[in-house]
Amino acid sequence: MLNRLVIPARRLLPTHTFARGVSVLVGGTAGAQLLAIAAAPLLTRLYAPEDFGLLAVYGGLLALFTVVASGRYQLAIPLPETQREAAEVLALSLAVVAMTTLLALLLVLLGGKALAEALGVPSLNHWLWLLPLGVAFAGGYQAVSHWAVRTRAFSALASTRIKQSLALLAIQLVASPLGGGGLLLGHAAGQGAGTLTLARPAVSAIGEHRVTAAGMWAAACRYRKFPLLSSWSGLFNTLGKQLPPLLFAALFSPVAAGLYALAHRVLAMPMTLIGEAVGKVFFASAAEAHRQGELGQLVARVHAILAQLAIPPVLILIAVGSDLFALVFGERWREAGEFARWMAPWLYLVFITSPLSHLFSVMERQGQGLIFQSLLLGVRVAAIAVGALRDDLLLTVALFSLGSAACWTGFLVWIARLTDNPPRVLATATLTALGWGVALLAPLLAASWLAPVWLPWSAALLLSAVLLGVRYVFLLRRAYQ
């Protein structure tokens, strides 16, 4: 009976390798995304903005450790031609994760209280014991998930996303009486659920190929650019993204960090899930496309798909972001909607370019990636400094977002040149997607900007959502052909 259901379902998947991989990952993560989105309005009523601020600060610290947890060696796992060499890189990645976890534990034991007070959230000290646990789970997941990418186990990756969301939401809902600590416990539980699921085949591969210390050392030397250059690039990128919640808590208040964190979470959550799925499949296909001289075509196709998906939600947020946040999450989150209006163009550019950032690894140009991330970090620090000097939180968010958007625009132009794509090719795809977005959202834009009495913005939003759904169905069917 099960085969009668599974076999026809498999026939519905696209036959093209790239589209099929994206479909499996996106399809599997769609459930996780819907769970998180559905639970968000409930969480915002169970937890206060300062609770989300506590989660944002903890998440920022964890992200800084996680980005270098494996020395970025996990990015090299899909690259070797032989499975044995790839298993050696995998073992090396896990060994570095263990060392990073130990460093996180020492930090918590020796300076946890001072760190929490410096960040403006003394209550975090009671929950910092979760930091080394989170580093072990998140760093381990990075390594084993890239092994799954190499073996094209996309269905397994998709299932981990669902398990992560279920574990995270279940703990956060049950543990709400603990305040912000409940959010932190759920975060750690989600990472653990995903890591343990993928660990078995990855660890089995290490044993099957009889990985030795000598082989791991050879892999460390062969791919030394990843820790020497790519790790700094990733650290600067993550630091730039985590600066707002960390500095908003220290310079303004935990409430400010919580408002920003919710806005970023709502915008980044669907973009991250879909963009990460596309990025993993792109990484798995890009190395082969590069060897065959077809990388430029692949980049153009991926950019066009992402632009069509992302522009309509961006236009919705710009038009009615504050009203939408107040309606969905409660009136006390209206200011987060104002943040979202400024953040939308920046996160759109991140969405369409971050999957393509794997080109730094595929083409082994980590030095150029480091330069870009250094520039991006400098712009973000300057934006926050100006906003803090003016003591204006909204101005700080606006400057941070616009500066980031300008940098990512330059990065997109650089990608076009690197892959021999004329800028007009990517520009044409963007303008086409923008035209479709404006047309589909015409009722909402008219209700928001012209405010006719006969067309409330909520009704216009529903009508535009229906038109947008029809467009997405068309794009999905075209991808499956």
Side-chain angles (χ1 to χ4, degrees), residues 142-207:
Q142 285 183 340
V144 296
S145 66
H146 278 77
W147 178 261
V149 168
R150 178 181 178 85
T151 59
R152 296 184 180 272
F154 298 125
S155 59
L157 275 173
S159 69
T160 62
R161 285 304 186 192
I162 296 177
K163 292 178 180 179
Q164 286 177 332
S165 288
L166 286 173
L168 184 149
L169 294 175
I171 298 298
Q172 289 183 341
L173 291 174
V174 172
S176 61
L178 297 176
L183 294 174
L184 271 60
L185 287 172
H187 191 283
Q191 290 289 348
T195 303
L196 297 177
T197 300
L198 295 180
R200 180 177 298 177
V203 174
S204 297
I206 295 175

Side-chain angles (χ1 to χ4, degrees), residues 324-335:
L324 195 58
F325 268 65
L327 174 67
V328 175
F329 303 112
E331 187 62 33
R332 63 180 175 178
W333 296 97
R334 178 178 290 274
E335 190 175 0

Side-chain angles (χ1 to χ4, degrees), residues 386-410:
V386 172
L389 288 174
R390 298 290 299 272
D391 195 26
D392 189 328
L393 181 58
L394 183 59
L395 175 64
T396 304
V397 173
L399 292 175
F400 181 90
S401 301
L402 294 177
S404 300
C407 290
W408 283 105
T409 301

Side-chain angles (χ1 to χ4, degrees), residues 74-244:
Q74 84 277 4
L75 297 176
I77 292 174
L79 301 182
E81 294 184 3
T82 66
Q83 289 292 88
R84 178 181 176 82
E85 185 181 356
E88 292 169 344
V89 180
L90 171 62
L92 174 65
S93 299
L94 293 175
V96 178
V97 169
M99 291 187 289
T100 309
T101 301
L102 180 59
L103 290 175
L105 179 60
L106 291 174
L107 173 65
V108 171
L109 293 176
L110 299 178
K113 183 178 180 179
L115 178 63
E117 292 178 351
L119 293 172
V121 281
S123 59
L124 180 62
N125 181 49
H126 303 296
W127 299 100
L128 271 180
W129 59 271
L130 287 171
L131 183 62
L133 186 65
V135 171
F137 283 147
Y141 182 79
Q142 285 183 340
V144 296
S145 66
H146 278 77
W147 178 261
V149 168
R150 178 181 178 85
T151 59
R152 296 184 180 272
F154 298 125
S155 59
L157 275 173
S159 69
T160 62
R161 285 304 186 192
I162 296 177
K163 292 178 180 179
Q164 286 177 332
S165 288
L166 286 173
L168 184 149
L169 294 175
I171 298 298
Q172 289 183 341
L173 291 174
V174 172
S176 61
L178 297 176
L183 294 174
L184 271 60
L185 287 172
H187 191 283
Q191 290 289 348
T195 303
L196 297 177
T197 300
L198 295 180
R200 180 177 298 177
V203 174
S204 297
I206 295 175
E208 178 184 346
H209 293 284
R210 301 179 182 275
V211 172
T212 63
M216 293 168 59
W217 176 253
C221 296
R222 165 65 180 85
Y223 297 103
R224 61 186 180 277
K225 285 186 178 180
F226 287 89
L228 294 177
L229 297 176
S230 183
S231 61
W232 288 103
S233 175
L235 182 61
F236 287 166
N237 180 37
T238 302
L239 183 59
K241 289 189 292 187
Q242 300 304 328
L243 274 178

Side-chain angles (χ1 to χ4, degrees), residues 249-331:
L251 298 176
F252 294 98
S253 69
V255 173
L259 292 171
Y260 174 87
L262 179 71
H264 188 273
R265 178 180 181 180
V266 171
L267 271 65
M269 182 168 51
M271 290 186 175
T272 298
L273 288 172
I274 299 175
E276 183 176 309
V278 174
K280 286 185 180 298
V281 181
F282 174 77
F283 193 24
S285 304
E288 181 179 355
H290 180 46
R291 289 191 293 268
Q292 296 178 356
E294 299 175 352
L295 187 58
Q297 300 175 15
L298 179 63
V299 167
R301 183 167 68 251
V302 172
H303 170 265
I305 293 172
L306 294 175
Q308 291 282 352
L309 292 173
I311 280 185
V314 168
L315 294 177
I316 291 175
L317 287 168
I318 293 175
V320 294
S322 56
D323 291 332
L324 195 58
F325 268 65
L327 174 67
V328 175
F329 303 112
E331 187 62 33

